[in-house]
Amino acid sequence: MAAYSRSPLLLLLSSVCLCSFGSVLGLKAASGPVEPPNPPVIRAVDPPAKDAPAPAAGAGASQPRRATGWKLSEEEACREDLTRLCPKHTWTNNLAVLECLQDRREQSEIAPDCNHLLWNYKLNLTTDPKFESVAMEVCKSTIAEIKECNEEERGRGYLVSCLVDHRGNVSEYQCNQYITKMTSIIFSDFRLICGFMDKCKDDINVLQCGSINVGHKDVHSQGEVISCLEKELVKQAEQRDRAHQIKEECQRAILRVAELSSDDFHLDRHLYFSCRDDRERFCQNTQAGEGKVYKCLFNHKFEEAMSEKCRDALTTRQKLISQDYRVSYSLAKACKVDLRKQRCSLDTNLPRAREARLSYLLLCLEAAVHRGRPVSGECQGEMLDYRRMLMEDFSLSPEIVLHCRTEIEAHCSGLHRKGRTLHCLMKIGRGDRSTTVDNACQTALQTLIQSADPGADYRIDRALNEACESVIQTACKHIRNGDPMILSCLMEHLYTEKMVEDCEHRLLELQYFISRDWKLDPMLYKKCQGDAARLCRTHSWNETSELMPPGAVFSCLYRHAYRTEEQGRRLSRDCKVEVQRILHQRALDVKLDPELQKRCITDLGKWCSEKTEAGQELECLQDHLEDLVSTCREVVGNLTELESEDIQIDALLIRACEPVIQTHCHDFADNQIDTGDLMECLVQNKHQKEMNDKCSVGVTHFQLIQMKDFRFSYKFKMACKEDVLRLCPNIKKKVDVVICLSTTVRNDTLQEGREQRVSLKCRKQLRVEELEMSEDIRLEPELYDPCKSDISRLCPNVAFGNAQMIECLKEQKKQLSQRCHQRIFRLQEVEMTDPELDYQLMRVCKQMIKRFCTEADARNVLQCLKQNKNSELMDPKCKQMITKRQITQNTDYRLNPVLRKACRADIPKFCQSILNKAGEDSELEGQVIACLKLKYADQRLSSDCEDQIRVILQESALDYRLDPQLQMHCSDEISRLCAEEAAAQEQTGQVEECLKVNLLKIRQEGCKKEVLNMLKESKADIFVDPVLHTACALDLKHHCAAITPGRGRQMSCLMEALQDKRVRLQPECKKRLQDRIDMWSYAAKVAPAEGFSDLAVQVMLSPSKNYILLMIALSVCILFLVGLLCGRITKRVTRELKDR
């Protein structure tokens, strides 16, 4: 500051010149000589007593001096005003009288003569060399301490000017009071400061801020003149296109006036008069000095009781502070040492306008705080106040006023107080309304947020603080007030029951801008500044780089956050935790991800304009992944790939799934590093009772998204990446990759002795993926797409999950469209080959598998369950599901892999005609199995095939539904003749028995033929006739125990026993056998043998078998004898003819 004080006429009060305005004013000369100053005993700190003002140059002749102890109160010109305005106890003190008359109320005018007398008195005080003598006495030790002032030339007013400049360093009480009083005297009228008028004369005239015409009658309104200039100065910063620009030297003078009046608000005459009542109302107990009254009034600026005039004056003062921080006494004093330590004012060649700006000071010191450098608590407290001030009143930022004027007028008018206008602009900038802000306004908003740095302390943002107070008190009460983690806590409770709507809006508006500069999140910056410098080539906190703008730094960090050790260059553990925290927050709203919003703005409008709920926009982009432009598709793909590794990034999903996670997946959720385990756990437990609709929908949605690209399944990607590149190159969709790898595994398995080309770890994960895909038809696009119309037509109200939709389509298989039918048949073929892929079977029979089939191979699970189907311990629901699968298997031999293998030679041999008629993808409706049943009755099958057909016959004999041909041809007859039996919950062959008993009543030939076939099959094996077998169980044990089952042997044994009168059969068995004989007789009449083989079978199974065979043998013998006795019928040929 000494530089200013050494420059005459440079700054206001920086050099109190010894200019004499007496000749200009033409005042009346005062009488009395000037006496030397009184000794420096300073109570109210009277300056050197002078008898009277010095004679003006225009007065003509000198008048005699008054005696020592001259008093203003004794002057006739001021006596009336003094008596009217000033308390009597002040009359004996000239300075008290001066201060009283200067600080009068605006409506209280004083006489012009008194006004000029006061001005002349102050001028004499300023220009009299003896003025310095008091200062030298009172401030002797202070002058010695301040080198600059000690070196000033004496007798020219420079000493007092220097002391005023350095009054912040004055610690001596009497000197400090003396300088304060002198400052008040000097600044009561700007004309007393030589040079200010010269610097600003042109500007004052042009702007009409006051009159400087020579001889003009002084109205003592210097505060209003300075106020006028100050207002024009701030308008100039807010309106770059103003016709008149205040000269640079006048600007410096105005700011210097404001700076030097920053100590005591009395010195700012305009503000003092404007806020005198408000000071009494709000700051009555606040002591003047050190800018305390200013700060008190600033804090009450938006109170309802604050007068508009005072509020305007305070706003002007704040705007000056934003242009030059030194206009704030408390801030300049508190941060003086810190500014020097942090090297915030190194370049003295920079224009004062830049380094003096409040934003520059805040950015510099905030950078030091964020980097962990020491900044005094007093300075940080002052910074907090002014950061809050910037957020509270947008008009204090000239860039906002300049660049956002249109938006403010159009959308945010009338919201001036408590930061509401700023949040309105932030809302528009965020894109919550149909309109958007232009780039200049957006940049101004981002700069203001960086300067105010509300991320470090939410209380800086008053609008947010008031809106979220209740949420903070309930959800974040465990966090220290003012801690940066409060904002993170609020984000964690976004879209929860504890969040209120107003807080939600304010929070998202602020986070939108914080998310665009990684440095504005103090925790992220603190933990990651080292990693950012090492990996992303970042600069200091308040510096930017075109190669690495603030918005790109976070993208760089998260690219390194999920690297493996092999990939190298990873983030530190603490930094990764913070990066994950930010990713969790950004998942709540796409607008919090700058890169995503920038690249996908077009697609968001095109595909997702109606998706306004939390998290819906990102889901929408993922759903339309194939339709997005390449740049948007890339960023959405990267984010989805990241979610697959750490699903906790999707905060909304994790929040919805909290009950399931706590019950079933807490071990995975507690892991700091997630590698896809948590999502896998959620998928496996998707149908637990703790699973709610929101969680289920979210998990299913993520599964569907994973189908679009195998990279979206982290565990699958890591396990099979090399196999995919080697065996399935150029395939991207996960479902196609799974099919490709599964086909490879199956082919390698079928070719015995061939080494598996798919790695073991990939095969294990491939199994997991196949099981997950079997749960929901939507996870298999090749099945889902052809069946969409069938789903809407046949299963409109069936849920997709839990394989319910697939089960519905299976049950409605006959009504499906051809393409869907083919796909369902192929699916069933795969499931029967590998029952683990049958989701419903594995789900319903999970406990039964554990009970009966723990040692069974995975591919033989269904076979094992079938064998234990009739066990007393079998669960009814599982038994019902097994029956369904048996019905399915019996519709086509290809759906029964055991039968297919056992009868691979018999089927082409006996049933080729059926295969020739059927297409490759068409179902055979049980025809091949029916064909094999008939050949079984003819005893022509191979032993392996016979064993399998016997099992099928035994099963279908107990449940007519297992015979597709019978059910197809006899459905009407069953409804007419055997409805009661068919309705029974437990099927034990009663429907078949009903049909046999009512054979004569059957009208449909197809059904009659099927019943006859049943009778024919029952003759081949008694086990095929459960009613007869049950009735004759004891007789079989007593009379046929040694007979091997099969090929009708036991049935023949019972028939012989029936004819043998020595054997007494059980009545029920005897009755049933007789009924069967009658049925077989009728069957023989209705369905005669179609060939010699059928005839032979009928003979062998006939009760008169022995008689028939005897007759056949007798006939043959008779024919032989006739031949012997009668000779040849043909003519004998002679030997000659033979020898010829």
Side-chain angles (χ1 to χ4, degrees), residues 82-99:
L82 187 66
T83 305
R84 180 167 49 89
L85 300 173
C86 300
K88 192 170 183 179
H89 66 83
T90 62
W91 293 1
T92 58
N93 189 313
N94 288 344
L95 281 183
V97 172
L98 180 63
E99 186 174 357

Side-chain angles (χ1 to χ4, degrees), residues 13 164 167 179-188 260 267:
L13 244 199
V164 170
R167 71 188 186 282
I179 295 300
T180 300
K181 285 293 184 181
M182 293 306 101
T183 305
S184 177
I185 293 170
I186 291 172
F187 281 101
S188 292
L260 294 175
L267 308 181

Side-chain angles (χ1 to χ4, degrees), residues 474-518:
T474 54
C476 310
K477 58 183 179 182
H478 60 286
I479 303 177
R480 179 177 56 84
N481 199 22
D483 193 285
M485 289 306 294
I486 290 284
L487 280 182
S488 286
C489 174
L490 290 174
M491 288 299 294
E492 289 172 8
H493 290 86
L494 196 64
Y495 306 125
T496 65
E497 294 179 356
K498 293 183 179 180
M499 180 59 63
V500 297
E501 185 178 4
D502 196 27
C503 177
E504 176 185 310
H505 293 323
R506 302 296 84 77
L507 181 62
L508 287 174
E509 288 156 10
L510 178 61
Q511 283 289 351
Y512 174 83
F513 288 90
I514 290 178
S515 66
R516 274 144 182 78
D517 189 343
W518 75 291

Side-chain angles (χ1 to χ4, degrees), residues 734-746:
K734 179 182 173 181
V735 63
D736 296 333
V737 172
V738 170
I739 292 173
C740 171
L741 293 176
S742 299
T743 304
T744 305
V745 172
R746 185 175 69 250

Side-chain angles (χ1 to χ4, degrees), residues 1022 1027-1042 1050 1053-1054 1057 1063-1070 1073:
I1022 193 171
V1027 175
L1028 180 62
H1029 181 266
T1030 302
C1032 299
L1034 288 175
D1035 296 296
L1036 282 171
K1037 186 176 181 180
H1038 291 157
H1039 306 295
C1040 307
Q1050 289 187 332
C1053 174
L1054 287 174
V1063 178
R1064 297 187 62 180
L1065 299 177
Q1066 295 291 325
E1068 183 67 20
C1069 178
K1070 189 174 182 178
L1073 277 173

Side-chain angles (χ1 to χ4, degrees), residues 71-86:
K71 303 296 182 185
L72 275 171
S73 58
E74 298 174 357
E75 291 296 322
E76 186 67 29
C78 294
R79 188 172 298 163
E80 182 182 348
D81 296 309
L82 187 66
T83 305
R84 180 167 49 89
L85 300 173
C86 300

Side-chain angles (χ1 to χ4, degrees), residues 972-1026:
D972 293 338
E973 300 293 350
I974 291 173
S975 300
R976 184 171 63 86
L977 301 173
C978 311
E980 185 177 347
E981 289 83 353
Q985 188 173 1
E986 188 73 20
Q987 289 294 322
T988 55
Q990 61 267 46
V991 174
E992 289 89 338
E993 184 67 18
C994 172
L995 289 172
K996 291 174 185 177
V997 171
N998 293 284
L999 179 61
L1000 298 176
K1001 298 179 182 179
I1002 294 175
R1003 301 169 184 172
Q1004 296 180 5
E1005 289 299 322
C1007 179
K1008 186 179 290 186
K1009 183 178 179 181
E1010 289 300 320
V1011 175
L1012 293 173
N1013 287 338
M1014 277 198 303
L1015 290 170
K1016 181 179 178 180
E1017 292 158 5
S1018 65
K1019 292 169 71 176
D1021 197 329
I1022 193 171
F1023 289 99
V1024 178
D1025 193 336

